[in-house]
Amino acid sequence: MDYSIEGRHYKTLVPVRVGITGGLISKIEEINGCDNQTLIAPGLVDLQVNGFQGIDFNEAHTTQEEVRQVTQSLWDVGVTTYFPTVITNSDERISASLHTISAACSNDQLVNQTVKGIHLEGPFISKDPGPLGAHPEAYVQGPNWDLFCKWQDKAEGRIKLLTMSPEWPGSVDFIRKCVESGVKVALGHTAASPLQIKEAVEAGASLSTHLGNAAHVMLPRHTNYIWEQLANDRLWCSCIADGFHLPEAVLKIVFRVKSGKCILVSDSTKFAGLDEGSYQSPIGGEVMLDSQGRLSLKAYPELLAGSAKPLLDCIAYLVRTKLLSLADALEMASIKPCQYLNPSAIPGLSPGSDADLMLLNQKNESLTVLKVIKSGQLVHSV
C-alpha cells in the first residue's frame, strides 16, 4: 500500500510530505502551506529492554503473548525497534527466556520486525559489589563458549549483543569468537583493569553498556575502567538518561567525549508505567519504585535496580535540562543505535530507509506520541 504523511521534519522543522511504499520511505519532499505542527521523526531504537508495564523477559513463566504485549506497549511510546534483554540467571532460566522470545518472533511477523535481536547481559560479568549491580551473584561465571552456543541455539541465532566483563581468564578469545559469529560485544558490569579493557577492544569489543552505572562507588581517581572506556575512541557507549542513573555533569561529559558514538537506552524493567510501591523483581529481588520513578534495591536504596522510564522520557529529560536539542536526543535514540548495529544501513528519515516513524507533538517540555508506523504499518494512533 502506498500512502503519505505530512508534518514537520524533526531536524529542520520544514513542512514535508513523506511517501511510504512497501514498508520503505519512498520520498521526502518539502511542501508549502502546511500548518501542521506535528513532528515526523524516526522511530526509537532501544537496545536494552528488560521488560515493560508489568511484564519481564526474565521471569520464569513469561509467555509469547506477553512478548507481543510488551512490543505493542513499546510502539505506544514510539519504540519501533528493540532488543529484549535477558540477564544473569541459571542456564535453564536463560534458555527458557531466549526460547520464548525467539518463538514469539517466529510466530508474529510484526514482532519479528520489531525485535531486531536479543541482548544477553551476563552472566559473564563481575562478582564485585557495585559492578554486579542487581544481578544475582550465584549465577555469575566466566565466559563459556559452549554454553553461549547452546543459548544461541535456543535463541535461533537472535542473540546480537552480549554484555560481559573482560576481567575473566579467556575473555579475549571468547570475545573474538563472538565477533566472528556476528555478535556485538559490549563491556559492562565490569571491574576490569585498563589493560583488560584495551585487550577486549583489540579483540573486537565495541560498546560500553550503560557507562558510569554498575560500577564501584569508589574508584582510583586516574586509573580505572570508566576513564579507560571514555578515552577509547573505538568504543561506542550507551547511557541511561532518566535523571537518576547519571548526573547532568556526567552526561554532559560523556556526550562531548563520545560525540557521534553515544546511544540512549532505557534499561526499562517491568516497573516502567506502574505505580510507586514495593515490588518483587527477578532483577534484584525486592525493589522500591518511588513517586518520581526512581527504582532501587530495597535493602540497598543507593543502588539502582534498572529503570522505570521509557526511552521517550529520557529524551524529554535531556531536552528539559538543555543537555541536548530535541533533534540530537532523538537521533541518539534512533539513528545512532542503527548505525552502531549496521554502519551501512540507510538511517532514519531518509528515502530508502525502513518506514519506522513516529509523529510527535511537542508542547513546552512534554512530548506526546500521536502515531507510530512500523514497517509501513500504523501500529499506534491517538
Side-chain angles (χ1 to χ4, degrees):
M1 180 178 69
D2 297 356
Y3 67 100
S4 63
I5 56 174
E6 294 183 359
R8 294 185 180 272
H9 193 291
Y10 76 99
K11 196 166 187 176
T12 65
L13 302 183
V14 172
V16 293
R17 179 180 296 115
V18 178
I20 298 172
T21 303
L24 300 176
I25 295 176
S26 54
K27 62 180 178 179
I28 301 175
E29 54 186 359
E30 294 185 10
I31 55 177
N32 297 318
C34 176
D35 295 327
N36 192 345
Q37 297 302 308
T38 300
L39 298 177
I40 304 176
L44 304 181
V45 177
D46 196 341
L47 301 186
Q48 195 162 1
V49 178
N50 305 283
F52 200 68
Q53 289 191 349
I55 298 170
D56 196 303
F57 296 121
N58 296 278
E59 291 185 337
H61 304 296
T62 300
T63 65
Q64 294 182 47
E65 175 55 30
E66 287 176 322
V67 176
R68 176 67 170 76
Q69 289 176 34
V70 170
T71 304
Q72 176 66 65
S73 296
L74 289 172
W75 289 334
D76 295 346
V77 290
V79 176
T80 54
T81 298
Y82 76 102
F83 277 24
T85 300
V86 176
I87 74 154
T88 303
N89 217 314
S90 67
D91 175 7
E92 295 76 15
R93 183 67 65 80
I94 289 175
S95 294
S97 295
L98 294 172
H99 173 73
T100 299
I101 295 165
S102 181
C105 293
S106 296
N107 293 322
D108 189 304
Q109 183 181 5
L110 267 180
V111 170
N112 190 50
Q113 291 172 340
T114 305
V115 176
K116 294 293 190 182
I118 296 172
H119 181 175
L120 182 60
E121 187 185 4
F124 315 131
I125 59 173
S126 179
K127 287 190 173 187
D128 281 13
L132 178 65
H135 288 233
E137 182 184 354
Y139 299 116
V140 172
Q141 59 180 296
N144 183 325
W145 179 248
D146 290 338
L147 184 59
F148 177 76
C149 289
K150 174 188 173 181
W151 288 334
Q152 187 68 290
D153 286 343
K154 290 287 185 182
E156 298 182 293
R158 287 187 168 89
I159 300 173
K160 300 297 184 183
L161 178 62
L162 170 73
T163 292
M164 62 168 288
S165 173
E167 67 198 69
W168 294 91
S171 292
V172 167
D173 185 54
F174 180 81
I175 291 169
R176 286 198 184 105
K177 288 179 177 178
C178 285
V179 173
E180 287 169 0
S181 73
V183 176
K184 298 273 190 180
V185 176
L187 308 180
H189 290 272
T190 182
S193 69
L195 177 59
Q196 289 168 331
I197 298 290
K198 289 178 182 177
E199 290 174 341
V201 175
E202 287 297 322
S206 54
L207 176 70
S208 299
T209 290
H210 50 52
L211 187 63
N213 295 116
H216 293 95
V217 175
M218 299 292 289
L219 285 170
R221 62 181 176 177
H222 293 148
T223 306
N224 64 64
Y225 47 79
I226 293 180
W227 285 122
E228 191 63 41
Q229 290 177 84
L230 271 174
N232 196 308
D233 293 335
R234 292 166 65 179
L235 280 175
W236 287 66
C237 85
S238 67
C239 289
I240 308 167
D242 61 356
F244 306 114
H245 278 75
L246 292 173
E248 290 180 32
V250 174
L251 286 168
K252 187 175 183 179
I253 291 167
V254 172
F255 294 160
R256 288 191 179 183
V257 173
K258 293 293 184 180
S259 177
K261 284 192 171 184
C262 197
I263 297 167
L264 294 182
V265 294
S266 70
D267 197 19
S268 69
T269 62
K270 65 184 287 184
F271 309 107
L274 301 186
D275 295 331
E276 65 177 297
S278 176
Y279 296 93
Q280 194 67 27
S281 170
I283 305 175
E286 196 166 6
V287 298
M288 288 294 298
L289 177 64
D290 71 17
S291 60
Q292 301 303 308
R294 184 180 188 273
L295 186 68
S296 62
L297 299 179
K298 188 171 184 179
Y300 303 98
E302 71 277 8
L303 294 180
L304 296 170
S307 172
K309 298 280 190 180
L311 203 50
L312 192 68
D313 283 26
C314 297
I315 292 169
Y317 169 77
L318 292 173
V319 174
R320 184 169 64 252
T321 55
K322 296 181 172 55
L323 285 169
L324 291 176
S325 68
L326 176 58
D328 287 343
L330 285 168
E331 292 193 350
M332 206 176 284
S334 59
I335 291 176
K336 292 303 177 184
C338 287
Q339 289 176 335
Y340 168 68
L341 294 172
N342 184 4
S344 64
I346 301 173
L349 197 53
S350 305
S353 67
D354 291 337
D356 292 353
L357 303 167
M358 62 175 174
L359 278 65
L360 284 173
N361 180 37
Q362 182 183 22
K363 187 174 182 180
N364 298 324
E365 297 177 344
S366 65
L367 298 171
T368 303
V369 179
L370 303 177
K371 294 182 185 296
V372 175
I373 296 166
K374 174 64 192 177
S375 299
Q377 296 188 45
L378 181 67
V379 293
H380 169 77
S381 180
V382 295

